[in-house]
């Protein structure tokens, strides 16, 4: 990193914004257009006020609109904040710090196509209001892009033709519809897939090797989708036999991995996530090098989707765009519920391994994360759960599906994911393919999502309902103390010598912040206490008139040096050793003797002057004051 | 040399500008968008023919942040 002075592989933000642009523009290309297409958005200037992500969506929309490509836009996009009373259009980066909502909405003038958001437990009503507000505002931008296109657009490319074989193919496939209908009545997933792939093979055989396989598979897909969709609308039953509202059966378990700081196994139907929480110290924080400056993150969430989770063999490597996106979605859902750094000084890393998947693994990750955090003793404000939903609409009729399966994903006209607590939404993500979904329909859909979320929260509470009181034995123990600013340099020492020595001898990790807060992290209480007392010794100051117990470290002609307070030494002048005159220091004390001393003053170089004669060496009582009484 | 088209609106209290015709003229569509003081160059290119044998739409979106946009050289600590 430090050695490569050029931009490297995409950062998390770049990957996420690439997806954010992709999601609303993809459904607007003509369905027969299959040419390789690329949109590149390059941030050339950042004013540190306006996040370039929304600007990039607008630019992508404008570039596509004037390009002549078969893009049915333009779209507009904006960011919406909420200050408790009002929505804020395109809040600045500084304003975002105080808002309880970060919502990006994109769409055409007919309807919303995409919503991405993080919220501090806001109600369905406020969330929907934000979508509506945003959709109203993007109208202005859409108009501006149309104005630009009117003067600057290229000739539209001819729309791709319907493949000429289409009608002939359709005629030949239609007889198979009955077979598909029967197959989709099979509730068990594996026997259903066997029958389905059998029918698909039959169709391929019917057409022979020379057939246009792309067209064939897309026509077959259309028929299958139509069967599933109309059956749901007609019978309100789904391919696995559920009605539209039922969530698949859930088993939640915590403490799955005994050596982890916190762990959970969340299973919902055929989707399962093993989620592990690890606690760390300030040194484990992630440093993020953003355009708007470097910042640190105390909460990391890493989502992995290994190929075995869907019974496939495949490559395992660095996470793809989908994994980064799902991880961030779960991160947004949980982030608003984490305790503040003052209440809980630990860095938290979550790893979610999706071990089985049949839809909605990102929401299983949210549930598993909530459980694993509570198992680790992280004092999250409330448990949080997530649910993936679908919506199917034909003319006036529509059905909302709770907890969709892998097979139902992309089948719907609206796929949306809602995460939140019993009191409100923390994350809402929507992808909409048609423009006729009204606010009223969204309201009904969000209400059904809420019922599902509450049900899942109740199921999760059977495993654990609130954070554990104590951290796992193996978790680091962090204690916080505060010292005066001028003492920081004494603790660090020249070139970090002292602090290094403390860490080495006690085994604890010591982080000093600029405001004098010291965080001591140790694997056990003993080493934490050892480090604390070392620091206390350094910062302690001798107080005038106070009596300390010390040890003689050196005797000289003019008195004895006594170590009395941590690393602090003071001099007992020969005249202060005893009330009578002393010939030689060693007559009274020698190196290694335990003595009681009183602080009687400081010389002009700050050195401490001590006295032994003013203290009763047996009882430790102050004789000087007694005399005065 | 250039045939520049601009469209400006006031939006959310800030100026939003779309400009095309000056930069990246070989792309099918290229628009510079400026909002406040943040500028993003967006380009769109589509191949002239379809890729044979695929039944999905091969769209790629690359969003990239250049550190010069914030007046910095990457990789260093200050």
């Amino acid at each position: 990193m430090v050695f490569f002075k050029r931009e490297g592989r995409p950062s998390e933000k770049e990957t996420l914004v690439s997806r954010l642009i992709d999601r609303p523009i993809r459904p607007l290309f003509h369905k027969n257009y299959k040419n390789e297409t690329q949109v590149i958005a390059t941030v050339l200037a950042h004013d540190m006020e306006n996040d370039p992500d929304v600007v990039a969506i607008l630019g992508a929309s404008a570039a596509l609109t004037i390009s002549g490509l078969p893009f049915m836009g333009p779209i507009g996009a904006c960011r919406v904040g909420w200050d408790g009373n009002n929505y804020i259009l395109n809040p600045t980066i500084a304003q975002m710090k105080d808002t309880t909502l970060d919502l990006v909405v994109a769409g055409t003038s007919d309807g919303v196509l995409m919503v991405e958001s993080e919220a501090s437990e806001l109600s369905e009503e406020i969330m929907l209001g934000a979508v509506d507000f945003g959709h109203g505002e993007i109208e202005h931008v859409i108009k501006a892009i149309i104005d630009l296109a009117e003067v600057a657009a290229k000739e539209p490319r001819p729309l791709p033709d319907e493949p000429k074989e289409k009608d002939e193919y359709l005629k030949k496939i239609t007889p198979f519809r009955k077979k598909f209908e029967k197959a989709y009545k099979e509730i068990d997933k594996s026997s259903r897939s066997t029958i389905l792939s059998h029918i698909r093979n039959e169709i391929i055989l019917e057409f022979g090797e020379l057939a246009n396989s792309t067209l064939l598979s897309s026509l077959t897909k259309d028929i299958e989708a139509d069967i599933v969709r109309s059956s749901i609308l007609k019978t309100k039953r789904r391919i696995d036999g559920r009605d539209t509202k039922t969530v698949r059966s859930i088993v939640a378990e915590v403490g799955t991995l005994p050596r982890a700081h916190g762990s959970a196994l969340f299973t919902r139907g055929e989707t399962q996530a093993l989620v592990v929480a690890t606690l760390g110290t300030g040194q484990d924080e992630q440093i993020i090098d953003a355009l708007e400056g470097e910042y640190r993150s105390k909460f990391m969430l890493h989502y992995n989707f290994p190929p075995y989770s869907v019974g496939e063999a495949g490559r395992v490597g660095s996470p793809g765009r989908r994994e980064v996106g799902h991880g961030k979605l779960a991160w947004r859902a949980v982030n608003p519920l984490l305790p503040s750094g003052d209440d809980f000084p630990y860095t938290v890393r979550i790893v979610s391994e999706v071990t089985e998947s049949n839809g909605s693994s990102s929401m299983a990750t949210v549930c598993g994360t909530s459980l694993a955090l509570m198992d680790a003793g992280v004092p999250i404000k409330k448990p949080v759960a997530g649910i993936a939903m679908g919506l199917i609409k034909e003319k006036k009729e529509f059905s909302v599906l709770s907890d969709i399966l892998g097979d139902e994903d992309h089948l719907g006209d609206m796929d949306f994911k809602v995460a939140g607590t019993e009191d409100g939404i923390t994350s809402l993500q929507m992808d909409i393919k048609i423009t006729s979904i009204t606010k009223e329909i969204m309201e009904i859909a969000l209400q059904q999502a809420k019922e599902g979320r509450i049900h899942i929260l109740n199921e999760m509470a059977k495993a654990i309902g609130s954070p554990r009181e104590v951290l796992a034995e193996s978790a680091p123990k962090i204690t916080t103390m505060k010292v005066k600013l001028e003492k920081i340099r004494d603790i660090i020492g020249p070139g970090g010598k002292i602090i290094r020595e403390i860490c080495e001898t006690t085994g604890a990790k010591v982080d000093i912040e600029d405001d004098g807060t010291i965080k001591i992290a140790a694997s056990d209480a003993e080493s934490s206490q050892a480090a604390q007392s070392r620091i206390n010794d350094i910062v302690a100051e001798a107080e005038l008139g106070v009596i300390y117990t010390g040890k003689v470290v050196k005797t000289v002609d003019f008195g004895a040096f006594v170590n009395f307070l941590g690393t602090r030494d003071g001099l007992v002048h020969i005249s202060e050793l005893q009330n009578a005159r002393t010939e030689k220091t060693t007559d009274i004390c020698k190196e290694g003797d335990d003595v009681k001393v009183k602080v009687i003053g400081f010389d002009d170089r700050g050195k401490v002057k001590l006295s032994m004669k003013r203290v009763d060496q047996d009882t430790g009582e102050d004789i000087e004051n007694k005399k005065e009484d | 040399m250039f045939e520049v088209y601009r469209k400006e609106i006031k939006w959310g209290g800030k100026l939003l500008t779309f400009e095309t015709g000056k930069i990246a003229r070989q792309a099918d569509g290229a628009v510079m968008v400026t909002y406040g003081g943040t500028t993003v160059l967006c380009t769109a290119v589509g191949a002239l023919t379809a890729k044979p044998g695929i039944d999905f739409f091969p769209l790629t979106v690359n969003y990239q942040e250049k550190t010069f946009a914030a007046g910095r050289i990457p990789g260093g600590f200050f």
Side-chain angles (χ1 to χ4, degrees), chain B:
Chain B
M1 177 157 206
F2 302 114
E3 198 179 327
V4 179
Y5 297 101
R6 279 167 75 91
K7 175 70 191 175
E8 273 183 14
I9 61 167
K10 195 98 174 169
W11 191 45
K14 284 165 261 193
L15 205 60
L16 174 68
T17 312
F18 294 92
E19 185 185 299
T20 186
K22 188 163 181 187
I23 294 185
R25 289 171 295 162
Q26 293 183 36
D28 290 316
V31 178
M32 286 254 280
V33 187
T34 303
Y35 189 53
T38 294
T39 301
V40 183
L41 169 68
C42 294
T43 57
V45 173
L48 290 173
T49 50
K51 230 180 173 180
I54 48 161
D55 63 349
F56 64 95
F57 171 39
L59 168 70
T60 315
V61 176
N62 298 105
Y63 166 85
Q64 43 188 21
E65 294 184 334
K66 298 290 175 189
T67 59
F68 63 68
R72 283 196 288 127
I73 293 170
F77 295 99
F78 44 89

Side-chain angles (χ1 to χ4, degrees), chain A residues 485-554:
Chain A
L485 290 185
E486 64 264 28
K487 292 290 176 188
I488 291 177
R489 50 181 296 188
D490 296 339
I491 301 169
I492 294 173
K497 188 167 153 244
I498 304 285
I499 194 167
R500 244 194 333 268
E501 191 258 338
I502 295 175
C503 293
E504 272 162 24
T505 54
T506 64
K509 279 200 256 178
V510 180
D511 287 339
I512 305 177
E513 282 164 24
D514 292 343
D515 66 349
T517 304
I518 299 183
K519 287 178 183 162
I520 300 164
S523 52
D524 57 71
E526 202 179 319
S527 88
S528 167
Q529 264 153 24
Q532 281 177 63
S533 75
R534 283 296 310 277
I535 292 168
N536 275 326
D537 287 349
I538 294 169
V539 301
E541 283 179 34
E543 263 179 83
L544 194 63
V546 173
I547 292 166
Y548 298 92
T549 302
K551 204 182 249 317
V552 178
V553 288
K554 195 177 177 195

Side-chain angles (χ1 to χ4, degrees), chain A residues 7 14 18 26 35-47 50 77 137 147 154 157 214 217 290 321, chain B residues 7 11 14 27-28 35 37-39 41 43 45-47 50 54-55 57-58 60-65 67 69 72:
Chain A
E7 288 86 354
E14 286 170 318
S18 297
R26 186 177 288 271
N35 299 13
E36 193 149 34
T37 300
Q38 187 176 33
V39 171
I40 299 181
T42 310
V43 180
L44 299 181
H46 191 326
D47 62 4
N50 299 292
E137 290 295 337
D147 286 349
K154 300 209 169 118
R157 288 198 198 172
T214 317
S217 81
R321 280 189 173 191
Chain B
K7 175 70 191 175
W11 191 45
K14 284 165 261 193
D28 290 316
Y35 189 53
T38 294
T39 301
L41 169 68
T43 57
V45 173
I54 48 161
D55 63 349
F57 171 39
T60 315
V61 176
N62 298 105
Y63 166 85
Q64 43 188 21
E65 294 184 334
T67 59
R72 283 196 288 127

Side-chain angles (χ1 to χ4, degrees), chain A residues 260-311:
Chain A
H261 300 160
S263 60
L265 184 70
F266 181 82
T267 314
R268 173 163 59 197
E270 292 154 328
T271 297
Q272 183 180 66
L274 175 65
V275 185
V276 185
T278 309
L279 303 182
T281 64
Q283 293 172 11
D284 296 314
E285 283 176 4
Q286 187 181 14
I287 301 168
I288 297 163
D289 190 14
L291 269 193
E292 55 269 23
E294 200 176 277
Y295 66 95
R296 284 160 174 270
S297 173
K298 290 166 64 71
F299 175 45
M300 292 163 263
L301 192 152
H302 299 143
Y303 166 101
N304 297 306
F305 190 88
Y308 66 77
S309 65
V310 285

Side-chain angles (χ1 to χ4, degrees), chain A residues 89-133:
Chain A
L89 174 65
N90 295 328
T92 61
I93 288 169
Q95 279 175 316
M96 285 308 298
K97 293 202 167 75
D98 303 318
T99 161
T100 52
L101 174 69
D102 176 1
L103 181 139
V104 173
V105 53
T108 65
S109 41
D110 294 331
V112 173
L113 291 166
M114 181 203 72
V115 174
E116 184 68 58
S117 63
E118 179 183 338
S120 321
E121 293 185 85
L122 296 179
S123 69
E124 276 72 12
E125 195 193 342
I126 293 174
M127 296 300 284
L128 263 187
V131 173
D132 209 37
F133 170 84

